Amino acid sequence: MTKEFLVDVDGTRVSIVRSNDQLFMINDHPFNASLVKLQPNLYSLLLNGSSHLIHVHDESDSLLTINGRTVRCTMVSERSQLIQRYKQESTDDHSHTELRAPMPGLIANILTQVGDQVTKGQGLIVLEAMKMENELRSPCTSRIQQIHIKEKDAVAMDALLIEFES
């Protein structure tokens, strides 16, 4: 399975594409690298013919020792990036008048109807994405003005789902 991650290492952001133990793209440049788990919290990274030993200090992947040098590292998956982006946009002005899809997916369930009064944080839609169900919640307390989707609809990222009264 192929996964894309953003990794922050001591403040430097690196984009990595990984398939199983093979790293094949770093910051949009092809790389010949592999990452192998040797034992719990200990990995071997083979990068351009050089071997690097990586010790993960804790479960959060926030502190690593690479060849004796300790660095702070944060790994974020593509899905986590989308969710974080959605949460950040929820504080924008437009979020109080509309709800948009934080990621592409399939509308599994609509939990409200036009005219309903909803409160901030109330579940409105269940969006199935990446084989997981995600409950999308109201960014505000308001009344539902319009619902732009129906159950079983496929939606693109940033698709308009619900409009609220201003």
Side-chain angles (χ1 to χ4, degrees):
M1 175 180 354
T2 301
K3 290 186 177 185
E4 183 173 337
F5 294 92
L6 280 181
V7 180
D8 285 327
V9 179
D10 279 349
T12 302
R13 180 158 281 190
V14 180
S15 171
I16 298 174
V17 177
R18 178 181 176 185
S19 179
N20 298 320
D21 289 337
Q22 199 66 29
L23 304 175
F24 59 89
M25 193 73 81
I26 299 177
N27 284 346
D28 297 324
H29 300 291
F31 263 80
N32 182 13
S34 65
L35 183 67
V36 178
K37 185 174 188 172
L38 302 174
Q39 54 184 293
N41 296 338
L42 189 63
Y43 296 82
S44 172
L45 173 65
L46 187 61
L47 180 62
N48 292 333
S50 297
S51 180
H52 305 277
L53 199 57
I54 301 174
H55 175 255
V56 180
H57 292 264
D58 58 30
E59 291 299 313
S60 68
D61 291 345
S62 63
L63 210 53
L64 304 176
T65 299
I66 304 172
N67 295 338
R69 179 176 168 241
T70 301
V71 295
R72 184 154 306 280
C73 175
T74 306
M75 215 183 304
V76 182
S77 69
E78 183 178 11
R79 181 174 184 272
S80 296
Q81 292 172 57
L82 291 173
I83 291 170
Q84 185 62 32
R85 178 177 163 249
Y86 173 71
K87 285 180 182 175
Q88 287 172 345
E89 287 179 354
S90 292
T91 61
D92 293 348
D93 289 339
H94 74 82
S95 69
H96 296 291
T97 59
E98 56 190 39
L99 176 67
R100 293 185 171 270
M103 62 190 81
L106 185 70
I107 302 299
N109 198 1
I110 300 174
L111 308 172
T112 190
Q113 353 178 2
V114 172
D116 284 356
Q117 180 70 33
V118 296
T119 58
K120 183 175 182 171
Q122 178 179 338
L124 302 178
I125 295 174
V126 177
L127 177 69
E128 186 179 309
M130 297 181 237
K131 299 183 183 178
M132 293 185 66
E133 290 189 348
N134 303 280
E135 186 175 71
L136 305 183
R137 299 177 181 273
S138 178
C140 60
T141 297
S142 186
R143 186 173 307 281
I144 303 293
Q145 181 177 359
Q146 190 169 2
I147 299 175
H148 293 272
I149 41 84
K150 57 187 181 298
E151 289 182 7
K152 308 285 188 237
D153 277 358
V155 296
M157 185 170 98
D158 208 36
L160 179 60
L161 306 175
I162 293 180
E163 285 184 82
F164 303 98
E165 289 182 358
S166 306

